[in-house]
Amino acid sequence: MADKKEGRSKSEKRYRKIRRSHIWTSIVEFLVFSVVLAGVLFFAVQAFVSYVIDTKIGSEYEKIQYMARIYDNGLKNNDSNIYNLLVEEGHDYVITGSDGSRIHLNGEDTRGTQSAEVTLSAYDEKVLVYRDSKRDFIYPKNGRLSLDLREFAEWMRDEGKWEEKDPDYALAHNTSIINLPIWISIDVDNGNKHFIGKAVFSSNRRDINLFIALIGSLAGLMGIILITLLGAGVRNFIRQRRMLSLFFTDVVTEGHNQTWLLVKGEHMIRKKSSTKNRFAVVSLKFVNYNTFCICHSVAEGDKILCRIYHLLSGKLRKYETCSHLGLGAYGLILRYNSEDELRQRLGGIIGELENIDSDHKFYFRAGVSLTEKAIDSEGEPVKPKNIKFDTEFNHATGARLSLGPGEDSGIAFFDDKLIEEQKWLDKVQEMQQSALDNEEFLVYYQPKYDPKSEKLKGAEALIRWNSPEFGLIPPGKFIPIFENNGFITEIDHYMIRHVAADQKAWLDKGYKCVPVSVNVSRAHFIESDLADQIKDMVDEIGTPHEYIEIELTESAFFDDKKAMLGTISKLKSYGFAVSMDDFGSGYSSLNSLKDMPLDVLKLDAEFFRGETNDKRAEIVVSEAIKLAKNLNMRIVAEGVEIKEQVDFLAGEGCDMIQGYYFAKPMPKEEYEQKMS
Ligand code: C2E
Ligand code: CA
Ligand code: CA
């Protein structure tokens, strides 16, 4: 049970709380109020009736007491006229002996057999009473006189037993119209005889109307309170339903939101997962949302978001759902049979989404996590009933982000490799600063040779990370991360400073130094004072500028051309040579050559990867060399591994060769030996 609760997401807990508390508080409130009000009404009526009976029967009791006293005195005085005197009083009564035998009687003896002691509220003494056998609506109950209201009301309704034939007359003259008797017994003759008088609770029309009006208004009041309460409960319920639907509604698309997926989506995956129903969680992003909003307006952007949502909803099958999570990010839960089928289906959906607006071409990226392959943070498989939507969605989003920073459409599936990559990324970011502070980064040098004379002409500085934890790490494993998180500028500075320092030390030792090129990242070129930064660093160490060369990868040339040109010109004016790295690996190399006054062209290693006697490749390389020569540039061929390539390049007039044929990148001590 505890596990199950822990498995619930925060949203689900909140959702359940809202749901439960509202229904139950309303129901309980209503029930408690009904019971309390019914009780109050019941006791109020009882108390009122009891009070009225007590007062009326009380005055009858006094008369009977009076008659009993007359009788008692008559007995004492042996008054033979006593019964006449009693009869003259006009009350019905019975006188019995101690054995219960009847001694005298006036009127009809309708006394019942049951008797009980009661206390009348006005008199603090116990009185023995008998119920009437004909009209027994007044009866002793718990030591008090009570009226059986229900029977009495029925009796009045059924037989309409008003005493007068003309009720209107009775009302006008306020005469008694209903008589309810009870017999009161008083001991006489020192307790040897009982004088039992008939006490009549008489009530006229007005009394009864008043009574009915009172009960009616009380009941009415109670009804109003209950109806108000019921109304409030119903309103509460409706409000709660609305709130719940708001809880699940996305304000932009008016469709489902993230909470919907977290609560309902997760529930569906947990309940419906089987070999027949395999679920995929998809993180879909409308790539152009922000730019579209900037170019048009947020309102226009939101309209597109709505259309996307409706298109997605229209594509759903049974047990599938989708939500807009905000800012053009969507979450979907889809069923699939195979990865290929799912990829195709998503591709189709993205294809339609790309053309959702005839005036614009949009791009969408999807990351997919298959719940069947779900794993927890320890890498253990997760059972369907323990699937967490947010974890799966996070994985799907990770897969989507692995598509990189581009602007095109794409689909990526989450896998173990991605987790490893993420973990590595995390680790690198955690270690980067301390690695720099501890000088864990090493400068390796790869010499560049003249293919004809085979003499050392230059070198490229290439970074290595000598981590105490992971050993020697190649740049491919951390440079892209640093380029993404901006740490690359620190690295560039570090390399320039170390290379300048090495060169200075070697010059001081009297070595015949050659220029060493240092890679400067594209990210770094955004800084307008880059040339001055480099100059200051090198000057601080005191290395002559001709011994430092700056390498720019071709991708760097995509950025702000003007700024680029400015930096290159400045670097050149300071006496640093600038080279274009990886020429031929991209698309706009020629264009860049046209605009930028570069000193060195580095032919990309890819030219030398294919077959050895590739005529077409040879033509391209040969023409590139001619082009560089015509532009007054020196040319370096990278990645050259075999003798035939060296010979060919020598024949074509290539200035330098940097490749394994001559030397691999090496630690500075080894390079130092090569120089000497
Ligand atoms: P890059 O600037 O194109 O460097 C040349 C890469 O080609 C180096 O790989 C080098 O070892 C490799 N290479 C050279 N000759 C041969 C060959 O004959 N055969 C083969 N298979 N490979 C050859 P490395 O050192 O692993 O560097 C990889 C990339 O990392 C570099 O490509 C560069 O883009 C980046 N990088 C390395 N050091 C730095 C640095 O200090 N700063 C910056 N910003 N990037 C760096
Ligand atoms: Ca390079
Ligand atoms: Ca290169």
Side-chain angles (χ1 to χ4, degrees):
M1 190 67 202
D3 267 341
K4 205 174 161 192
K5 274 200 174 146
E6 261 172 38
R8 276 182 195 150
S9 66
K10 248 190 227 161
S11 312
E12 187 173 0
K13 282 181 200 153
R14 218 178 300 146
Y15 159 71
R16 281 172 188 271
K17 215 167 155 188
I18 295 178
R19 232 178 94 149
R20 209 185 291 128
S21 66
H22 272 70
I23 290 174
W24 285 112
T25 44
S26 301
I27 291 175
V28 167
E29 257 171 32
F30 183 73
L31 284 179
V32 168
F33 249 80
S34 307
V35 168
V36 167
L37 278 184
V40 166
L41 184 71
F42 179 76
F43 283 110
V45 170
Q46 285 279 317
F48 179 72
V49 168
S50 186
Y51 169 77
V52 171
I53 290 174
D54 268 17
T55 340
K56 290 225 173 187
I57 296 291
S59 66
E60 292 279 292
Y61 172 55
E62 274 173 23
K63 280 183 202 153
I64 293 164
Q65 261 183 331
Y66 170 69
M67 286 171 71
R69 254 195 319 272
I70 293 176
Y71 179 60
D72 213 15
N73 286 337
L75 281 183
K76 278 185 193 136
N77 303 333
N78 265 332
D79 188 347
S80 54
N81 200 27
I82 183 73
Y83 293 118
N84 290 336
L85 270 172
L86 290 175
V87 170
E88 265 173 28
E89 287 294 320
H91 266 276
D92 289 359
Y93 63 85
V94 186
I95 299 169
T96 60
S98 56
D99 56 352
S101 59
R102 213 181 280 157
I103 295 168
H104 188 257
L105 166 80
N106 183 39
E108 195 186 350
D109 181 6
T110 53
R111 205 163 29 106
T113 46
Q114 289 173 353
S115 68
E117 282 194 325
V118 297
T119 311
L120 298 172
S121 30
Y123 311 89
D124 200 18
E125 57 193 88
K126 290 218 160 85
V127 184
L128 187 72
V129 296
Y130 290 84
R131 241 171 134 149
D132 191 77
S133 62
K134 284 190 170 172
R135 282 187 198 170
D136 57 352
F137 304 125
I138 293 186
Y139 65 101
K141 186 188 167 190
N142 302 333
R144 307 204 69 93
L145 286 180
S146 187
L147 173 68
D148 190 332
L149 269 173
R150 222 180 60 191
E151 294 252 312
F152 173 55
E154 259 171 33
W155 171 81
M156 285 212 323
R157 195 186 57 221
D158 290 353
E159 298 181 44
K161 292 208 171 116
W162 307 102
E163 300 290 302
E164 272 80 8
K165 286 281 171 265
D166 183 355
D168 289 337
Y169 174 86
L171 183 63
H173 295 82
N174 196 19
T175 51
S176 300
I177 47 173
I178 283 175
N179 294 315
L180 304 175
I182 185 134
W183 299 76
I184 301 178
S185 171
I186 293 168
D187 289 353
V188 285
D189 193 16
N190 296 323
N192 290 326
K193 295 191 180 73
H194 308 293
F195 185 92
I196 309 168
K198 185 180 181 183
V200 179
F201 171 86
S202 38
S203 199
N204 58 34
R205 198 25 122 155
R206 217 174 50 185
D207 290 343
I208 288 177
N209 282 350
L210 208 72
F211 179 66
I212 290 171
L214 188 84
I215 293 188
S217 9
L218 268 176
L221 194 73
M222 184 175 135
I224 289 171
I225 293 175
L226 283 184
I227 285 170
T228 313
L229 213 76
L230 196 72
V234 169
R235 268 200 307 278
N236 241 349
F237 186 71
I238 293 170
R239 214 176 294 145
Q240 177 227 357
R241 289 277 126 181
R242 282 201 196 128
M243 222 163 101
L244 277 181
S245 81
L246 257 184
F247 198 68
F248 288 137
T249 304
D250 168 50
V251 283
V252 176
T253 60
E254 292 184 355
H256 298 319
N257 63 6
Q258 185 173 12
T259 318
W260 169 266
L261 285 180
L262 281 170
V263 177
K264 301 282 183 178
E266 181 176 278
H267 187 77
M268 191 170 71
I269 296 176
R270 288 182 175 191
K271 285 269 139 36
K272 302 284 179 204
S273 278
S274 66
T275 42
K276 220 178 88 202
N277 289 323
R278 296 194 291 169
F279 288 102
V281 171
V282 181
S283 163
L284 182 80
K285 175 84 181 161
F286 170 28
V287 179
N288 320 73
Y289 174 66
N290 282 79
T291 6
F292 184 84
C293 287
I294 292 167
C295 297
H296 299 82
S297 68
V298 175
E300 288 294 310
D302 286 355
K303 274 187 205 158
I304 303 283
L305 294 184
C306 280
R307 279 158 66 186
I308 294 170
Y309 178 80
H310 288 113
L311 192 145
L312 288 173
S313 311
K315 297 281 170 204
L316 299 178
R317 304 173 186 157
K318 198 178 171 191
Y319 301 142
E320 294 187 336
T321 190
C322 81
S323 290
H324 175 237
L325 316 177
L327 305 176
Y330 296 82
L332 291 93
I333 294 174
L334 301 178
R335 284 188 302 146
Y336 71 99
N337 293 317
S338 72
E339 270 187 56
D340 280 349
E341 174 245 39
L342 181 63
R343 193 181 279 275
Q344 246 181 16
R345 186 176 168 207
L346 275 172
I349 293 175
I350 288 178
E352 281 186 46
L353 286 173
E354 283 178 338
N355 300 309
I356 200 164
D357 189 277
S358 51
D359 298 336
H360 299 91
K361 168 92 175 159
F362 293 137
Y363 296 103
F364 293 83
R365 289 182 163 198
V368 184
S369 175
L370 306 174
T371 60
E372 200 181 42
K373 294 184 177 173
I375 45 168
D376 60 19
S377 52
E378 262 95 59
E380 296 294 316
V382 181
K383 290 195 187 111
K385 68 175 167 60
N386 294 328
I387 293 279
K388 283 189 175 166
F389 176 81
D390 44 9
T391 310
E392 293 313 301
F393 189 74
N394 193 34
H395 287 170
T397 306
R400 172 165 65 73
L401 294 175
S402 75
L403 291 170
E407 286 258 300
D408 46 347
S409 292
I411 301 169
F413 279 67
F414 177 79
D415 57 16
D416 301 356
K417 214 180 89 212
L418 210 78
I419 295 191
E420 288 309 312
E421 275 171 22
Q422 279 301 316
K423 283 188 177 160
W424 175 247
L425 188 129
D426 221 55
K427 191 78 199 164
V428 167
Q429 318 229 54
E430 184 194 311
M431 299 189 301
Q432 60 190 31
Q433 191 57 50
S434 65
L436 193 80
D437 297 342
N438 301 335
E439 305 243 328
E440 286 172 23
F441 296 108
L442 305 179
V443 185
Y444 269 46
Y445 291 90
Q446 186 177 29
K448 299 170 190 165
Y449 288 93
D450 181 328
K452 282 190 184 129
S453 63
E454 302 207 341
K455 274 190 179 153
L456 183 70
K457 278 290 193 63
E460 178 177 5
L462 293 160
I463 195 169
R464 298 290 179 269
W465 183 349
N466 187 19
S467 154
E469 197 178 336
F470 298 98
L472 208 62
I473 311 168
K477 288 196 77 177
F478 58 90
I479 290 290
I481 297 176
F482 292 163
E483 278 177 338
N484 257 328
N485 69 14
F487 195 66
I488 193 71
T489 54
E490 305 280 332
I491 292 294
D492 286 350
H493 284 163
Y494 181 95
M495 289 296 281
I496 290 168
R497 243 185 278 115
H498 278 75
V499 169
D502 284 350
Q503 290 281 62
K504 174 82 168 75
W506 289 324
L507 283 169
D508 290 349
K509 280 188 189 171
Y511 290 138
K512 201 170 167 293
C513 282
V514 290
V516 172
S517 60
V518 184
N519 293 283
V520 173
S521 145
R522 150 197 189 140
H524 215 146
F525 260 79
I526 292 165
E527 291 174 17
S528 55
D529 62 342
L530 178 68
D532 293 296
Q533 284 181 34
I534 293 174
K535 177 179 172 287
D536 292 347
M537 268 186 295
V538 176
D539 287 348
E540 203 177 301
I541 293 159
T543 318
H545 296 180
E546 71 258 33
Y547 291 103
I548 305 287
E549 194 178 305
I550 301 298
E551 269 189 36
L552 282 168
T553 54
E554 204 202 310
S555 61
F557 292 87
F558 280 109
D559 287 312
D560 188 344
K561 257 191 191 151
K562 232 174 111 187
M564 191 99 198
L565 193 63
T567 303
I568 292 172
S569 307
K570 241 183 184 175
L571 282 170
K572 281 171 62 101
S573 73
Y574 293 148
F576 298 106
V578 183
S579 62
M580 180 196 269
D581 202 359
D582 304 336
F583 177 77
S585 69
Y587 298 101
S588 63
S589 313
L590 287 175
N591 218 353
S592 311
L593 276 188
K594 172 173 75 78
D595 300 324
M596 307 293 164
L598 299 159
D599 303 292
V600 183
L601 192 69
K602 293 189 80 179
L603 279 181
D604 192 66
E606 273 308 303
F607 285 116
F608 311 103
R609 287 287 155 269
E611 284 173 34
T612 33
N613 273 325
D614 187 344
K615 277 281 159 239
R616 294 179 69 88
E618 282 182 358
I619 293 169
V620 173
V621 170
S622 153
E623 291 304 316
I625 293 172
K626 277 184 201 138
L627 179 70
K629 295 260 170 227
N630 286 336
L631 288 169
N632 263 333
M633 294 169 81
R634 274 164 285 142
I635 188 142
V636 179
E638 266 192 306
V640 176
E641 294 183 352
I642 49 178
K643 174 115 181 58
E644 286 85 346
Q645 289 168 340
V646 179
D647 293 343
F648 166 74
L649 288 164
E652 294 298 320
C654 177
D655 299 292
M656 280 173 266
I657 286 182
Q658 178 191 344
Y660 289 180
Y661 174 77
F662 287 112
K664 289 189 173 182
M666 57 190 74
K668 75 173 187 185
E669 295 76 18
E670 217 176 292
Y671 174 68
E672 196 177 334
Q673 279 172 14
K674 280 224 162 356
M675 255 190 309
S676 61

